[in-house]
Amino acid sequence: AAVPLTIISGFLGAGKTTTINHVLNRSEGRRKTGLLVNDFAEVNIDAQLIRSSIQSASEADGADGASEAEEEQRLVELSNGCVCCSISGELQHSIEKVLSLGVEHILVETSGVSDPSNIVQTLLLPQLRALVWLCGIVVVVDGESVLATLDNSFSSRNQLRQADVVVLNKTDLLSSEQY
């Protein structure tokens, strides 16, 4: 049966990686979730942060659950290009790779300037439709700077229009007037 896939999007600095770490650090999410992390940078810092968080949670859990090596295999870095534009073939290969490990759900963290609709188009390829189904598009927004970001960025407005779920992040930084 096809596995659910959730796209996690949001503009630069909104807190996508923090949100994913929160999900993965719940033991049931960490053991059964494949993760594809996309970053434009030469060094995929988001993947490094998630990897470090998973390792810390594993150490805190003790020996039960997936081994560090198994958890490492379920995290695939998609670097040096935008998953929505130039590396859709790598996206397909990466989905197939994590599925071969028996994951029950896949999260795809996009780069901050990505267009989720292009990823959805890749998921509609016949060879992928048999493997995964789009569970939804989650867009993380920075509560403190959301209005300025939306005013100044077509990409952020586009991401928000496509969201099935919006996570308002960093609300602890908002004043009562902003909230």
Side-chain angles (χ1 to χ4, degrees):
V3 171
L5 181 145
T6 303
I7 297 169
I8 310 291
S9 193
F11 207 65
L12 301 167
K16 298 178 297 293
T17 301
T18 301
T19 301
I20 288 173
N21 276 331
H22 178 75
V23 170
L24 293 178
N25 282 320
R26 298 175 48 140
S27 61
E28 66 274 8
R30 186 175 66 253
R31 289 191 188 110
K32 299 177 182 177
T33 302
L35 179 62
L36 309 179
V37 180
N38 182 219
D39 198 342
F40 272 126
E42 191 171 315
V43 176
N44 194 331
I45 294 170
D46 290 343
Q48 290 178 357
L49 290 170
I50 291 169
R51 186 175 290 110
S52 175
S53 178
I54 290 171
Q55 289 170 350
S56 296
S58 294
E59 290 167 6
D61 286 348
D64 60 341
S67 73
E68 188 175 315
E70 289 170 321
E71 289 177 350
E72 177 72 19
Q73 289 177 336
R74 289 197 305 252
L75 185 137
V76 176
E77 296 179 50
L78 303 167
S79 297
N80 291 325
C82 181
V83 71
C84 68
C85 307
S86 61
I87 58 173
S88 63
E90 185 180 352
L91 174 62
Q92 179 180 341
H93 173 74
S94 298
I95 288 171
E96 291 167 349
K97 178 180 175 181
V98 296
L99 286 174
S100 73
L101 301 171
V103 300
E104 295 177 5
H105 195 121
I106 297 174
L107 298 177
V108 177
E109 179 184 1
T110 68
S111 68
V113 295
S114 70
D115 180 350
S117 67
N118 291 334
I119 299 168
V120 172
Q121 291 299 315
T122 299
L123 297 176
L124 293 175
L125 294 171
Q127 58 271 34
L128 283 179
R129 284 196 343 224
L131 301 175
V132 294
W133 59 274
L134 180 61
C135 183
I137 298 172
V138 176
V139 174
V140 181
V141 297
D142 179 340
E144 192 173 39
S145 65
V146 64
L147 295 177
T149 301
L150 291 173
D151 283 345
N152 297 314
S153 168
F154 172 78
S155 293
S156 64
R157 292 190 300 273
N158 189 40
Q159 289 171 353
L160 201 53
R161 272 194 296 271
Q162 296 178 57
D164 295 305
V165 174
V166 175
V167 174
L168 184 60
N169 200 20
K170 303 181 185 181
T171 57
D172 57 320
L173 302 175
L174 299 177
S175 68
S176 58
E177 294 81 32
Q178 290 174 305
Y179 211 99

